[in-house]
Every structure is written in structure tokens, then in C-alpha cells.
């Protein structure tokens, strides 16, 4: 089976990493895969490193005539059995570039407009919440399937934990880590508010936020006004996230809204005690009391209670961490993701 993946971005973020990992696993399954993208960059370099063929299409708006023409030329040259479009712009472009080609699209976030997916034969949704948002807009339920994202669990572990904690200066701290863009949907403001009540109980606590975004100054101001600045570290965007995860004590995802949240799964794969909110795919990953703690979104007191319970009970923390890693390895492996995606392809081809 010949698959052409189409993506309208060039960096390596969540969706792009998803595409790269999927291509590698599909190749292991015997599929012939290639990628169309608008320009060279981090993603094309990663594809080249792994020996995955790619073609450049003209950049521009989703309905830009030259962009559509160049994508149409790639499709005609590659002659794929189907095209897999990633994210909204790519789905739009495939639909208008070639109305005859079979198209499967992946919805990575909550769907607000049906337009990008109207001409897709099938839509893969990264969580049940994403699928519900799509079907509520009128997309046929039989043509929408949940296939969870995955992580390579071999890339995440705590084998160098003590050396890394020394490197980061965290030896005597209780490090609560969150990896997410600094935007309202990720809920970091509630984690900072929780520090006010956590510091008297856990005076060595350090809330570490990894990521950039428009809320950075607002969060810093909130911490200053609340008197918790000394217990907050904003590290910005980092390329050493696996090491940061390995060195942390607890992982907290206080999001208000999520699609899948690959960072949370990476924390589970590392073997961390994880606390997450009831949004996106997080409830699918967490079984409260077994492999972590699931809390309501926007609930500062729930964050305080969850962090406190894990921090003061070493046995509970260890049990949650071990169970979280097993969940990541068994239920969210790249191999399972590739098999489930192939099943969607076959369903689309046989419609």
C-alpha cells in the first residue's frame, strides 16, 4: 500500500512528531510512505535522517492556486492508494487539489468547523472528545475513528535521574513539572494559584513550567503578586524534555482544554506519578487510584489535594509511576497506533 502524508508545517511539534513516528512504524508494516510539506526545515531534516522520501509543495493559503497545483502534481506523480492529511489546512488542500483521491485526515484538536473534513472518506480523531466534537457538527459517526497518539517508551526513562537532578540543581527540591504552551487552555494559572496552599505543606516545592506562549508575563505577574515567585521556574522552550521528565518528581497537567496531550503520555512513559485534568484523552490514559490521579479542570483545591497526597506518600508515588509506564507501553505504543491506523485505511479503501 502506498501512502502520501500531507502536512502544512515544517517544524517538529506534536502533530509533526506524530507524523514522523507514524511513517516509521508504517514502513515497518511494509507500507510505502512519503510526505508532502511546504518547505525544508526541522521536519524535512528528520525525514531525511530516517530515509523517508518527501516532496516540497508551494506554500501559501489553503486555497492558494499555486499551492494546490503543486500538491496536485505530487499526488499525480506519486500515485498513492490514499492521502493522509494532518491538521486542518492540509485536509482543505487535499480536498481541493484532487477531488478523486481517497483522503483520510487526522483531527488533532477539538473540531470547531466541519469544512476541512467534508470531503474526507474517514477522519482519525486523537481522542473521544475530538471525535464527539466532529460528529456533533454532523460528520457521520461511522466515518470517524479514535486512534490514540503514541510515544516511543524506549526514549523515556529515569535511568539518569540523580545525575540530571544534580545538573539542574534540583537535589533538595520537590519538582512538579508541566510541559505545555503558556496559553489559557493549558491552565498553568491554576497550578500557580495552588502553590499558595502547597508551599506551607511542602516548603521545598518547585513548580517547573516548560514552554513558551502569550501568557508568560501574566503568569510571572501572578506568581509575584501571590508571593510564590521563588517556587516557580519558567524554562521556556527546551530540547531536553526527556531529561527534564526523568529528573522531576511529579507531573501535573492542569489543562482546561486538550486534544490528546502527548506531553502527558511522555510523562507516563518516563515513569512519573502523574496528575491530569478531565479533558481530551487524559481520562483515557488515567485510571484514578491505579496509575495516577484525575482531577476536574480549573480546580485549584483539587491540584493542592492531588499533589499533596502523592508528595507525602512515597509508596503511592512509586506505585503510580510504575503503573503509568506500563499503561504507556501497552496501550499507547507506536506499534498499536500504526496497526489501528492501517485498519482505518483498509476500511476507507473498502467503502
Amino acid at each position: 500500500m502506498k501512502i502520501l502524508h500531507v502536512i502544512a508545517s515544517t517544524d517538529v511539534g506534536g502533530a509533526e512528531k506524530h507524523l514522523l513516528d507514524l511513517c516509521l512504524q508504517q514502513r515497518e508494516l511494509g507500507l510505502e510512505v512519503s510526505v508532502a510539506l511546504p518547505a525544508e526545515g526541522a521536519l524535512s531534516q528528520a525525514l531525511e535522517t530516517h530515509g523517508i522520501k518527501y516532496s516540497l509543495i508551494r506554500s501559501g493559503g489553503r486555497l492558494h492556486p499555486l499551492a494546490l497545483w503543486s500538491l496536485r502534481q505530487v499526488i499525480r506523480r506519486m500515485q498513492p492508494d490514499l492521502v493522509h492529511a494532518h491538521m486542518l489546512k492540509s485536509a482543505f488542500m487535499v480536498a481541493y487539489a484532487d477531488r478523486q483521491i481517497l483522503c483520510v485526515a487526522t483531527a488533532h484538536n477539538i473540531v470547531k468547523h466541519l469544512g476541512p473534513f467534508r470531503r474526507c472518506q474517514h477522519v482519525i480523531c486523537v481522542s473521544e472528545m475530538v471525535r464527539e466534537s466532529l460528529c456533533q457538527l454532523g460528520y457521520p459517526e461511522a466515518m470517524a475513528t479514535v486512534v490514540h497518539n503514541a510515544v516511543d517508551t524506549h526514549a523515556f526513562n529515569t535511568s539518569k535521574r540523580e545525575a540530571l537532578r544534580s545538573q539542574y540543581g534540583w537535589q533538595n527540591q520537590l519538582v512538579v513539572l508541566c510541559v505545555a504552551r503558556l496559553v489559557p487552555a493549558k491552565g498553568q494559572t491554576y497550578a500557580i494559584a495552588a502553590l499558595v496552599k502547597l508551599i506551607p505543606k511542602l516548603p521545598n516545592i518547585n513548580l517547573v513550567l516548560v514552554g513558551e506562549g502569550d501568557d508568560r508575563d501574566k503568569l510571572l505577574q501572578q506568581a509575584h503578586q501571590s508571593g510564590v515567585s521563588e517556587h516557580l521556574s519558567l524554562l521556556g522552550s527546551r530540547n531536553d524534555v526527556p531529561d527534564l521528565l526523568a529528573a522531576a518528581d511529579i507531573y501535573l497537567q492542569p489543562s482546561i482544554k486538550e486534544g490528546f496531550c502527548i506531553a502527558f503520555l511522555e510523562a507516563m512513559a518516563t515513569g512519573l506519578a502523574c496528575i491530569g485534568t478531565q479533558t481530551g484523552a487524559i481520562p483515557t490514559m488515567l485510571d484514578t487510584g491505579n496509575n495516577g490521579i484525575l482531577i476536574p479542570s480549573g480546580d485549584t483545591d483539587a491540584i493542592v489535594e492531588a499533589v499533596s497526597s502523592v508528595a507525602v506518600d512515597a509508596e503511592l508515588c512509586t506505585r503510580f509511576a510504575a503503573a503509568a509506564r506500563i499503561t504507556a507501553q501497552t496501550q499507547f505504543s507506536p506499534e498499536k497506533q500504526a496497526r489501528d491506523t492501517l485498519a482505518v485505511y483498509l476500511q476507507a479503501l473498502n467503502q
Side-chain angles (χ1 to χ4, degrees):
M1 187 185 301
K2 187 184 293 186
I3 308 299
L4 174 64
H5 292 273
V6 179
I7 192 163
S9 56
T10 60
D11 294 326
V12 181
E16 296 80 13
K17 183 65 166 58
H18 162 82
L19 179 149
L20 177 62
D21 292 342
L22 183 57
C23 285
L24 293 173
Q25 289 299 321
Q26 288 180 337
R27 192 168 60 182
E28 291 294 316
L29 291 176
L31 279 62
E32 183 179 342
V33 297
S34 59
V35 179
L37 69 166
E40 293 183 340
L43 180 55
S44 65
Q45 292 174 6
L47 292 169
E48 190 169 350
T49 297
H50 291 284
I52 298 172
K53 296 178 182 179
Y54 68 89
S55 300
L56 298 181
I57 55 178
R58 292 194 180 233
S59 59
R62 60 192 179 189
L63 298 181
H64 192 286
L66 290 178
L68 295 178
W69 175 83
S70 62
L71 176 56
R72 188 181 306 117
Q73 296 304 113
V74 171
I75 293 173
R76 290 178 178 177
R77 185 175 72 252
M78 299 299 297
Q79 292 291 300
D81 293 295
L82 64 79
V83 172
H84 188 155
H86 297 262
M87 298 190 295
L88 304 183
K89 181 178 177 180
S90 302
F92 254 124
M93 291 180 65
V94 173
Y96 284 92
D98 190 331
R99 301 192 180 191
Q100 304 302 315
I101 193 69
L102 190 68
C103 180
V104 169
T106 293
H108 290 272
N109 292 294
I110 301 299
V111 180
K112 298 180 180 179
H113 306 287
L114 194 57
F117 305 110
R118 287 189 186 277
R119 297 180 182 177
C120 296
Q121 280 68 41
H122 210 101
V123 176
I124 292 173
C125 304
V126 298
S127 72
E128 186 59 44
M129 186 176 292
V130 171
R131 182 178 183 274
E132 289 176 0
S133 70
L134 176 68
C135 294
Q136 285 174 357
L137 293 173
Y139 194 82
E141 293 186 4
M143 296 166 58
T145 300
V146 174
V147 177
H148 293 127
N149 285 341
V151 295
D152 180 4
T153 55
H154 301 294
F156 298 91
N157 59 72
T158 58
S159 61
K160 301 178 181 178
R161 172 179 168 80
E162 294 307 320
L164 290 168
R165 286 180 67 82
S166 177
Q167 176 184 327
Y168 295 130
W170 293 349
Q171 301 98 314
N172 300 314
Q173 298 179 5
L174 173 70
V175 178
V176 179
L177 181 68
C178 173
V179 181
R181 290 177 295 119
L182 304 183
V183 295
K186 300 300 181 179
Q188 291 97 339
T189 183
Y190 299 100
I192 293 175
L195 279 178
V196 177
K197 296 183 179 180
L198 284 168
I199 291 170
K201 301 179 180 181
L202 306 166
N204 63 334
I205 191 171
N206 181 16
L207 175 63
V208 178
L209 304 182
V210 177
E212 279 293 353
D214 294 340
D215 273 9
R216 181 182 178 87
D217 291 342
K218 180 181 177 181
L219 294 173
L220 285 172
Q221 183 179 15
Q222 178 189 355
H224 176 72
Q225 292 176 344
S226 302
V228 300
S229 296
E230 293 184 0
H231 296 266
L232 175 68
S233 300
L234 271 66
L235 302 187
S237 296
R238 300 287 291 248
N239 57 10
D240 58 346
V241 170
D243 288 344
L244 292 168
L245 288 168
D249 296 292
I250 298 170
Y251 188 84
L252 170 66
Q253 199 76 45
S255 302
I256 302 301
K257 187 183 299 182
E258 284 286 353
F260 181 81
C261 196
I262 195 71
F264 194 82
L265 183 55
E266 290 175 346
M268 294 181 69
T270 300
L272 281 177
C274 295
I275 300 166
T277 50
Q278 297 167 335
T279 182
I282 294 175
T284 307
M285 304 180 207
L286 277 190
D287 178 12
T288 292
N290 177 32
N291 63 355
I293 301 177
L294 193 64
I295 61 175
S297 297
D299 191 332
T300 298
D301 289 338
I303 294 175
V304 172
E305 183 178 351
V307 171
S308 299
S309 64
V310 174
V312 302
D313 191 334
E315 182 179 349
L316 180 67
C317 185
T318 300
R319 179 163 60 84
F320 281 171
R325 182 162 172 79
I326 291 172
T327 299
Q329 290 174 328
T330 57
Q331 298 181 31
F332 298 92
S333 69
E335 294 82 4
K336 184 177 187 302
Q337 179 193 46
R339 291 194 302 270
D340 291 347
T341 301
L342 178 57
V344 170
Y345 291 171
L346 294 173
Q347 181 179 343
L349 286 167
N350 291 325
Q351 283 179 355

